[in-house]
């Protein structure tokens, strides 16, 4: 079994990279630059882990995403929502709308499936989780099932999406990262591109909460 991994440099994608290395032959790790604020930070984090694991790494320029999205992740005239309560469903829905990129995961998975089939791979491995799937449906196991139905027809090799963390929450993924020996200092879980993570966006808040629950310390 071999795979192509989508590596964004965050906790979920890097844990899936390590899992894929353990159980498959990883043909390639792909990092997508769609013009997002954190593109360079994400690519650097992914590259560090790929080098450590001796996995080929490619950064794909898909900045044409700007043609059809006005998300705050790309449009710096819009503020990325910060300091929402992770237990507030309405606030999370508003945040999801502000950072939503139309069909982002669908496009990326289809591109990765093309690479996988061309390179002789069987799986495409993204970094999803059960926690964020509540407001981001393209993180859900139902989405994975739907993608697999589509890829059955669009790839001769019947490439499938396989995510090792889609049924896990962030704390469980954090625990697995430690078990796998992931260096947490070389992750980029932030929507922004500062010298350090902002600690205030939804992605940072989820990372920091998981880190504190698992380690008992502040991230």
């Amino acid at each position: 079994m071999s795979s192509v991994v989508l590596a964004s440099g965050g906790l979920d994608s890097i844990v899936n990279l390590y899992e894929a290395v353990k159980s498959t032959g990883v043909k390639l790790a792909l990092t997508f630059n769609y013009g997002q604020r954190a593109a360079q930070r994400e690519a650097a984090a992914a590259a560090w882990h790929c080098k450590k694991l001796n996995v080929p790494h490619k950064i794909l320029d898909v900045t044409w995403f700007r043609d059809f999205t006005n998300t705050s992740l790309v449009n710096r005239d819009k503020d990325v929502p910060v300091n929402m309560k992770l237990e507030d469903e309405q606030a999370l829905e508003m945040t999801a709308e502000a950072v939503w990129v139309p069909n982002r995961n669908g496009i990326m998975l289809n591109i990765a499936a093309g690479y996988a089939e061309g390179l002789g791979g069987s799986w495409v491995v993204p970094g999803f989780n059960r926690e964020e799937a509540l407001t981001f449906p393209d993180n859900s196991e139902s989405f994975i099932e739907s993608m697999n139905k589509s890829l059955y027809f669009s790839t001769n090799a019947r490439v499938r999406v396989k995510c090792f963390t889609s049924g896990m929450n962030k704390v469980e993924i954090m625990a697995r990262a430690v078990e796998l020996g992931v260096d947490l200092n070389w992750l980029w879980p932030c929507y922004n591109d500062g010298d350090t993570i902002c600690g205030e966006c939804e992605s940072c808040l989820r990372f920091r909460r998981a880190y504190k629950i698992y380690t008992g310390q502040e991230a």
Side-chain angles (χ1 to χ4, degrees):
M1 196 67 69
S2 56
S3 64
V4 169
V5 180
L6 278 66
S8 71
L11 175 66
D12 304 339
S13 76
I14 296 303
V15 166
N16 276 275
L17 174 64
Y18 278 66
E19 294 280 21
V21 168
K22 273 178 62 72
S23 58
T24 78
V26 179
K27 299 285 188 178
L28 182 66
L30 293 174
T31 301
F32 288 86
N33 174 7
Y34 57 92
Q36 71 271 36
R37 297 167 186 250
Q40 292 185 349
R41 282 294 198 172
E42 291 175 3
W48 190 91
H49 290 280
C50 287
K51 183 177 181 180
K52 177 183 177 181
L53 297 170
N54 197 30
V55 170
H57 179 227
K58 186 177 183 68
I59 301 169
L60 291 184
D61 186 328
V62 291
T63 49
W64 41 263
F65 270 48
R66 294 191 185 111
D67 293 345
F68 59 79
T69 184
N70 199 31
T71 175
S72 61
L73 297 186
V74 172
N75 184 354
R76 291 179 181 265
D77 291 333
K78 291 187 172 183
D79 293 330
V80 173
V82 297
N83 292 326
M84 70 292 300
K85 293 182 179 179
L86 296 178
E87 298 77 21
D88 186 337
E89 293 184 10
Q90 186 175 4
L92 293 178
E93 288 174 1
M94 292 175 63
T95 298
E97 184 175 350
V99 301
W100 182 258
V101 180
N103 200 25
R104 176 180 56 183
N105 287 345
I107 293 169
M108 292 179 180
L109 286 171
N110 272 286
I111 292 173
Y115 273 93
E117 180 164 27
L119 296 172
S122 305
W123 287 351
V124 171
V125 182
F128 299 156
N129 68 80
R130 185 181 78 238
E131 189 174 310
E132 288 173 296
L134 295 175
T135 47
F136 295 94
D138 61 350
N139 270 242
S140 67
E141 294 188 323
S142 294
F143 175 68
I144 292 173
E145 292 172 7
S146 297
M147 282 298 305
N148 285 335
K149 290 177 181 178
S150 174
L151 292 174
Y152 179 87
F153 294 99
S154 64
T155 59
N156 277 335
R158 307 292 189 258
V159 174
R160 294 181 59 81
V161 178
K162 167 67 176 178
C163 180
F164 295 91
T165 61
S166 58
M168 301 166 66
N169 63 33
K170 285 283 189 179
V171 178
E172 293 166 332
I173 298 170
M174 182 69 70
R176 185 59 179 152
V178 173
E179 290 173 359
L180 291 166
V182 175
D183 189 334
L184 302 178
N185 294 311
W186 281 96
L187 298 175
W188 192 257
C190 185
Y191 286 149
N192 294 295
D193 60 350
D195 293 334
T196 59
I197 65 172
C198 75
E200 298 178 338
C201 68
E202 180 183 345
S203 187
C204 278
L205 291 174
R206 290 188 184 279
F207 178 83
R208 294 180 68 190
R209 180 176 69 175
Y211 186 90
K212 184 174 183 178
I213 291 172
Y214 183 71
T215 68
Q217 301 175 359
E218 297 288 345

